[in-house]
């Protein structure tokens, strides 16, 4: 039976534990699979320092998003309250009787939700303004708090990030399939994985199979074309994630990461450390910074997870636990990998291909199956996410370039162009590079920094200023960030610009 509130079916909610798991699954994704590779290149000590520092700053900006979302709810509630007061005042001054007044108020309440069903004398209390009950996506908050220039810059940053996401997904799937299908002895050179097109120069001269002439590069491109043709057309439909698909994907993810950590620990215990990574290597900073930023990304999807949370007063504590556990989980995954393996691929699952494992008995066969499952793991999870990200990108492209209130008036040809605009650029990018390190470094460093650092800073700054003008300084936001001083905003902004500049100098020099 659905839960009823005031005779109406309530929106679905979930507990703190379920919210904790959902946020964990949202953050831990493809970026984690690139961490062992960048840890090995940047050095284990430098990587530890950077990932802990970036986890702290990412948590800071998450609290900025929460505060901005509460401010957006406060503005909505304030506007609703003003409309109700005007409606009541008009009703009292009219010649209608008291029954007509009640009908007028009830009809206004029906339009705007649960908030309006609270008596006006109670609504005046400050804690009814700041809520997280209504879901405000980042685009809605950008439209509410930014001017037209700020709104356009927000959408451009988000679109670039989504393009990077689709490129990473496409390259990871095609490369995983290629490395499983081709002879493992013809693997790529680890020295040519950071910058493109060095990886292509290496794979062009290597055959996929010894008895055939097709190169690893051409096999990668064939698989990339096949993947795009199969999953690309889904962008023309309104595909939605289902609960069962999320559960299946989450189960695959937990199983894969657990197996990778356990196998690495077993290898360390049984044969000792094969890997001997450096302590510090500043030349690995570009890929390290980009991968860490990308691995902690949840800001663009956070409002969708917070709105159904049943006990929203615990949201900051839930997120702090998530970040602590995820950071420790990332460190465990990367540190066991860089010492267990002599060479680390930029997609960690490819290190578990059964190179020299022969089938002898049940246990050796089980190990081979586990290795192939890990190598194919990105294909299972990313293939289900690719259409969703592509549709999100298409919708954002339309919001940026079209007036969505007049969407039906545009020609069919114009409307059909936007799905192609979402699919073709990522395909072209990954057709000319398979280096996940490069894709993650560019996506995380530039678009990721904008979404994770710069946009939250400006959102919370303008949200605070707007709420102060409407509600005054006496109304306290109970969802205010613990980092409420303006000095923290200045610190995060300067940190972002400094990091992008240093990474750019290091990357292009």
């Amino acid at each position: 039976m659905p839960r009823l509130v005031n005779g109406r079916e309530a929106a679905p909610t979930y507990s703190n534990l379920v919210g904790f798991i959902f946020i964990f699954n949202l953050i831990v994704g493809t970026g984690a699979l690139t961490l062992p590779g960048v840890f090995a290149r940047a050095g284990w000590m430098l990587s530890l320092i950077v990932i802990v520092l970036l986890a702290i700053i990412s948590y800071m900006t998450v609290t900025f998003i929460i505060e901005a979302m509460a401010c957006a709810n406060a503005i909505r509630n304030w506007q609703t309250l003003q409309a109700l007061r005007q409606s009541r005042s008009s009703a009292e001054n009219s010649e209608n009787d008291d029954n007509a007044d009640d009908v007028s108020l009830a009809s206004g309440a029906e339009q705007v939700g649960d908030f309006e069903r609270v008596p006006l004398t109670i609504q005046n209390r400050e804690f009814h303004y700041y809520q997280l009950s209504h879901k405000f996506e980042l685009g809605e908050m950008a439209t509410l708090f930014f001017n037209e220039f700020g709104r356009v810059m927000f959408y451009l940053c988000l679109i670039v990030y989504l393009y990077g996401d689709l490129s990473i997904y496409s390259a990871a799937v095609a490369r995983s399939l290629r490395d499983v299908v081709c002879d493992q002895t013809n693997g790529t050179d680890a020295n040519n994985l950071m910058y493109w097109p060095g990886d292509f120069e290496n794979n062009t001269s290597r055959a996929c199979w010894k008895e055939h002439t097709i190169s690893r590069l051409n096999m990668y491109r064939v698989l990339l074309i096949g993947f795009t043709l199969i999953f690309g057309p889904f962008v023309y439909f309104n595909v939605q994630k289902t609960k069962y698909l999320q559960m299946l994907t989450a189960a695959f993810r937990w199983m894969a990461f657990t197996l990778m950590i356990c196998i690495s620990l077993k290898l360390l215990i049984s044969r000792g450390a094969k890997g001997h990574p450096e302590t510090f290597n500043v030349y690995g900073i570009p890929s390290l910074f980009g991968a860490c930023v990308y691995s902690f990304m949840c800001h663009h999807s956070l409002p969708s997870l917070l709105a159904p949370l049943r006990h929203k007063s615990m949201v900051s504590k839930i997120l702090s636990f998530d970040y602590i556990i995820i950071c420790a989980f990332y460190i465990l995954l990367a540190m066991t990998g860089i010492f267990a393996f002599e060479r680390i691929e930029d997609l960690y699952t490819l290190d578990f291909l059964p190179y020299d494992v022969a089938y002898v008995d049940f246990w050796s066969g089980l190990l081979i199956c586990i290795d192939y499952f890990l190598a194919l793991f990105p294909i299972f999870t990313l293939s289900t996410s690719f259409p969703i990200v592509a549709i999100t990108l298409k919708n954002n492209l339309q919001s940026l370039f079209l007036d969505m209130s007049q969407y039906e008036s545009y020609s069919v040809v114009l409307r059909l162009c936007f799905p192609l605009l979402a699919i073709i650029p990522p395909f072209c990018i990954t057709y000319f590079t398979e280096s996940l390190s490069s894709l993650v470094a560019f996506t995380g460093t530039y678009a990721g920094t904008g979404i994770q650092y710069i946009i939250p800073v400006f959102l919370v700054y303008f949200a605070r200023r707007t709420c102060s003008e409407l509600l005054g300084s006496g109304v306290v936001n109970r969802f205010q960030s613990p980092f409420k001083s303006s000095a923290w905003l200045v610190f995060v902004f300067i940190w972002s610009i400094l990091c992008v500049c240093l990474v750019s100098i290091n990357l292009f020099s």
Side-chain angles (χ1 to χ4, degrees):
M1 289 288 293
R3 188 169 61 92
L4 299 179
V5 177
N6 293 338
R8 302 173 65 186
E9 185 175 340
T13 61
Y14 44 71
S15 65
N16 292 348
L17 178 60
V18 174
F20 171 87
I21 295 172
F22 278 9
I23 295 171
F24 185 96
N25 289 335
L26 172 66
I27 299 176
V28 179
T30 316
L33 299 178
T34 65
L35 287 176
V38 298
F39 267 51
R41 283 187 285 275
W44 65 270
M45 180 61 73
L46 178 61
S47 300
L48 282 177
I49 296 172
V50 169
I51 195 171
V52 172
L53 183 59
L54 293 183
I56 294 172
I57 298 178
S58 180
Y59 172 73
M60 290 172 56
T61 56
V62 159
T63 62
F64 294 161
I65 294 291
I66 296 171
E67 182 178 346
M69 184 177 169
C71 289
N73 273 266
I75 293 172
R76 176 178 180 268
N77 292 337
W78 180 86
Q79 292 171 341
T80 298
L81 183 57
Q82 301 309 307
L84 286 172
R85 282 174 173 169
Q86 291 177 3
S87 176
R88 185 179 66 172
S89 177
S90 299
E92 289 175 349
N93 294 332
S94 68
E95 296 179 357
N96 296 329
D97 55 16
D98 293 339
N99 291 333
D101 179 59
D102 293 338
V103 171
S104 174
L105 288 174
S107 62
E110 285 293 327
Q111 296 176 2
V112 286
D114 295 337
F115 176 81
E116 296 78 356
R117 288 194 288 272
V118 182
L120 294 178
T121 54
I122 301 178
Q123 285 178 6
N124 227 12
R125 297 181 184 177
E126 63 187 45
F127 56 80
H128 282 288
Y129 284 105
Y130 291 100
Q131 301 176 359
L132 297 177
S133 55
H134 182 76
K135 181 184 69 174
F136 277 91
E137 298 290 356
L138 287 190
E140 296 178 274
M141 289 191 279
T143 303
L144 182 62
F145 296 123
F146 294 163
N147 56 21
E148 184 62 20
F149 174 78
R151 188 187 75 87
V152 171
M153 293 305 295
F154 164 79
Y155 275 107
L156 286 176
C157 185
L158 181 60
I159 286 169
V160 171
Y161 177 80
L162 293 175
Y163 272 131
D165 241 4
L166 291 179
S167 300
I168 292 167
Y169 288 5
S170 300
V173 170
R175 183 172 172 181
S176 297
L177 279 172
R178 190 271 314 275
D179 285 1
V180 169
V181 170
C182 295
D183 291 339
Q184 289 85 17
T185 53
N186 290 328
T188 55
D189 184 0
N191 296 325
N192 290 324
L193 290 176
M194 182 174 294
Y195 304 111
W196 63 282
D199 51 338
F200 271 32
E201 294 174 359
N202 182 52
N203 282 318
T204 302
S205 60
R206 291 179 181 268
C208 185
W209 301 286
K210 293 180 180 178
E211 62 273 15
H212 294 281
T213 58
I214 184 171
S215 68
R216 293 172 59 86
L217 171 58
N218 289 333
M219 177 56 67
Y220 165 84
R221 287 175 169 171
V222 168
L223 294 169
L224 176 65
I225 293 171
F227 173 76
T228 305
L229 289 177
I230 292 172
F231 291 97
F234 281 101
V235 75
Y236 284 95
F237 304 99
N238 188 19
V239 182
Q240 299 292 334
K241 284 184 179 179
T242 65
K243 179 177 71 174
Y244 299 106
L245 183 61
Q246 290 184 21
M247 293 172 60
L248 181 63
T249 304
F252 275 138
R253 181 182 292 115
W254 281 84
M255 187 186 305
F257 282 112
T258 302
L259 285 171
M260 285 187 283
I261 292 174
C262 291
I263 291 174
S264 299
L265 287 173
K266 179 183 178 298
L267 293 175
L268 283 172
I269 294 172
S270 61
R271 68 184 190 185
K274 291 289 185 179
H276 303 283
E278 299 180 66
T279 306
F280 280 85
N281 181 11
V282 294
Y283 295 105
I285 287 179
S287 55
L288 174 64
F289 180 81
C292 290
V293 170
Y294 188 73
S295 297
F296 285 112
M297 182 65 71
C298 67
H299 301 59
H300 57 303
S301 301
L302 194 61
S304 300
L305 293 181
L306 295 184
L309 195 63
R310 193 171 302 151
H311 304 291
K312 296 180 176 64
S313 59
M314 301 288 291
V315 61
S316 294
K317 187 174 292 186
I318 292 172
L319 281 163
S320 63
F321 288 154
D322 262 313
Y323 266 83
I324 291 171
I325 292 176
I326 289 170
C327 186
F329 177 79
Y330 283 167
I331 292 172
L332 180 62
L333 177 73
M335 295 296 286
T336 54
I338 63 177
F339 287 103
F341 295 97
E342 184 177 358
R343 181 173 71 90
I344 299 290
E345 295 275 3
D346 58 348
L347 188 64
Y348 187 44
T349 51
L350 298 179
D351 286 294
F352 295 90
L353 283 170
Y355 290 102
D356 301 314
V357 180
Y359 177 78
V360 178
D361 51 19
F362 171 78
W363 295 109
S364 63
L366 179 62
L367 182 59
I368 292 174
C369 292
I370 291 174
D371 286 342
Y372 276 114
F373 165 75
L374 293 176
L376 295 172
F377 162 68
I379 302 169
F380 301 144
T381 57
L382 300 184
S383 296
T384 59
S385 300
F386 184 89
I388 307 300
V389 177
I391 291 171
T392 304
L393 174 58
K394 177 196 68 175
N395 294 338
N396 280 279
L397 287 168
Q398 292 174 341
S399 298
L400 178 61
F401 294 108
L402 301 180
D403 183 357
M404 296 307 294
S405 62
Q406 302 179 7
Y407 180 75
E408 297 299 330
S409 65
Y410 294 105
S411 67
V412 176
V413 175
L414 180 61
R415 283 183 283 169
L416 291 178
C417 287
F418 284 94
L420 293 177
L421 284 176
I423 296 299
I424 292 177
F427 171 77
C428 294
I429 293 171
T430 49
Y431 191 84
F432 292 102
T433 180
E434 66 180 74
S435 176
L436 287 170
S437 296
S438 300
L439 294 172
V440 171
F442 277 97
T443 303
T445 299
Y446 298 106
T449 298
I451 294 175
Q452 192 169 145
Y453 298 152
I454 297 176
I455 288 174
V457 165
F458 281 97
L459 273 180
V460 77
Y461 172 77
F462 286 108
R464 289 173 181 175
R465 192 173 72 174
T466 304
C467 286
S468 179
E469 293 173 355
L470 289 180
L471 306 178
S473 58
V475 182
V476 179
N477 185 355
R478 59 181 176 143
F479 298 103
Q480 188 176 39
S481 169
F483 311 95
K484 55 186 177 182
S485 172
S486 297
W488 288 113
L489 302 182
V490 175
F491 164 73
V492 174
F493 181 75
I494 294 176
W495 160 265
S496 305
I497 300 301
L498 182 63
C499 285
V500 170
C501 291
L502 290 176
V503 168
S504 299
I505 292 171
N506 200 354
L507 190 64
F508 292 106
S509 63

